[in-house]
Amino acid sequence: MKKLINAPEKVLSESLDGFAAAHADIVTLGAEKKFVRRKTLKPGKVGLISGGGAGHEPLHAGFVGAGMLDAACPGQIFTSPTPDQIAAAIDAIDTGAGSLLIVKNYEGDVMNFEMAAELANGKVLTVLVDDDVAVEKSTYSTGRRGVAGTLVVEKLVGAAAEEGRTLKELHALAQAVNSRTRSMGVALTSCTVPAAGTPTFTLGDDEMEMGVGIHGEPGRRRVKLESADAIAAELVESIVHDLEPRNGRDCLLLVNGFGGTPLVELYLMVNAATRILRGRGISVSRFLTGNYVTSLEMAGCSITLTELDSEFARLWDAPVHTAALNWR
């Protein structure tokens, strides 16, 4: 195992210190590094909180800031944050309008966020993100997994929260965005969790895992490596079959790298996916490409499609200023 670390047990703590130093104009660390918080809170605004195991950076801490999250709770690598972390974050960012918890559908995350909501003093609602069409159930989740579509939910709901919408309104919006978002990924290599020191799974040089999860959990099947066009076709067809975009609606296309795939290949996948979608009469008017919801150094990518209406498009275009997303 070759990694830029000092000791496996210090990876998260030391990384958080570096993150907070590099983005001190945007974020600050909570007590005992339990959470990353937006440096300047907006009075009267509903607080948005998400979180999950480290190793998926920039998710979630990289999306803390104006126009997205107010706080993110990082757990150890691929491990859910604890209820006390989440409860502390809820209390720290509550300015009186309540808090919305945006939770990826993994059993540990769901359980711990639910416990934290019960511990919290203010009003709290929770939305589960379950955009992965690869498998209905896995050892990590009950029902579909929450993957890169989480970013889309956080961005659109974050923009709406900045406008001053109520907790109830934001909860309904988050559910609506999740219902119109689907994802599926493919792995070309495994990743190595520092504490384990060995790859999570093994793939032959001519193999890939179709439908892989962001922790390296199995997907639909292991198959022989194919061309980018063939991979994109299977991912897109699976997503479109499930999402069933309505005629005349534009879509947002997110091609997300898992940490070990260069941008030249990700943009190649954007080209392939866009051609396939347009061949099916589906227009893409918004794009995002890069490593946003990663799995340490895993090679591969996921494709996410969100069906847009005028409100969703406006909220996507709204200003955002975070470590990982920044536009005016």
Side-chain angles (χ1 to χ4, degrees):
M1 179 181 72
K2 292 183 179 180
K3 289 185 178 291
L4 297 175
I5 65 173
N6 294 310
E9 66 273 13
K10 294 182 179 180
V11 169
L12 176 58
S13 176
E14 293 178 347
S15 179
L16 285 172
D17 283 338
F19 177 80
H23 302 288
D25 59 324
I26 302 173
V27 302
T28 186
L29 285 180
E32 302 176 26
K33 304 177 189 177
K34 289 183 177 180
F35 55 87
V36 176
R37 196 202 78 186
R38 182 171 166 175
K39 186 172 184 179
T40 303
L41 298 174
K42 192 171 181 179
K45 172 188 166 300
V46 173
L48 302 183
I49 302 171
S50 193
H56 303 305
E57 288 74 17
L59 189 82
H60 292 275
F63 303 138
V64 172
M68 285 192 80
L69 298 175
D70 294 282
C73 301
Q76 294 297 321
I77 291 180
F78 293 178
T79 303
S80 174
T82 61
D84 69 294
Q85 283 181 260
I86 304 161
I90 294 171
D91 290 342
I93 59 95
D94 185 9
T95 62
S99 299
L100 178 66
L101 308 183
I102 301 173
V103 184
K104 301 187 304 300
N105 190 32
Y106 290 94
E107 288 185 358
D109 288 352
V110 172
M111 178 179 67
N112 289 350
F113 273 88
E114 285 180 349
M115 292 175 64
E118 294 173 359
L119 294 170
N121 295 319
K123 186 176 181 180
V124 179
L125 293 177
T126 299
V127 64
L128 295 182
V129 181
D130 58 354
D131 55 305
D132 190 0
V133 304
V135 292
E136 290 295 335
K137 293 184 180 181
S138 77
T139 56
Y140 291 81
S141 65
T142 301
R144 292 183 168 175
R145 303 175 295 214
V147 288
T150 310
L151 180 163
V152 182
V153 175
E154 292 175 356
K155 173 62 182 78
L156 271 61
V157 176
E162 292 290 336
E163 296 177 348
R165 297 196 200 183
T166 67
L167 177 58
K168 184 177 179 180
E169 289 170 337
L170 293 174
H171 183 258
L173 174 64
Q175 291 179 315
V177 176
N178 179 64
S179 73
R180 303 312 304 164
T181 300
R182 300 288 189 276
S183 303
M184 186 169 162
V186 60
L188 306 183
T189 69
S190 178
C191 59
T192 299
V193 176
T198 57
T200 303
F201 58 93
T202 301
L203 282 174
D205 290 341
D206 62 343
E207 291 182 321
M208 60 183 182
E209 185 76 27
M210 184 61 70
V212 71
I214 58 174
H215 304 95
E217 64 269 40
R220 289 186 171 184
R221 65 190 190 283
R222 186 163 298 183
V223 297
K224 294 296 183 182
L225 184 65
E226 297 181 292
S227 68
D229 282 349
I231 294 170
E234 178 161 353
L235 297 180
V236 170
E237 291 297 329
S238 297
I239 290 167
V240 170
H241 174 77
D242 197 276
L243 180 61
E244 297 181 336
R246 286 162 281 190
N247 291 336
R249 289 288 181 92
D250 287 342
C251 287
L252 160 70
L253 174 64
L254 164 59
V255 174
N256 169 69
F258 286 146
T261 299
L263 277 171
V264 66
E265 295 178 27
L266 295 181
Y267 280 116
L268 190 154
M269 290 296 289
V270 171
N271 178 57
T274 302
R275 282 190 287 104
I276 294 165
L277 288 165
R278 288 176 177 165
R280 293 183 59 106
I282 299 171
S283 174
V284 180
S285 63
R286 304 294 190 279
F287 295 84
L288 185 65
T289 309
N291 292 290
Y292 292 105
V293 182
T294 64
S295 184
L296 292 169
E297 80 284 19
M298 182 186 291
C301 74
S302 62
I303 291 177
T304 297
L305 200 65
T306 298
E307 182 186 8
L308 300 174
D309 57 20
S310 59
E311 179 191 29
F312 283 15
R314 182 182 64 80
L315 293 173
W316 179 260
D317 294 340
V320 59
H321 185 49
T322 71
L325 289 184
N326 186 11
W327 58 74
R328 298 294 179 186

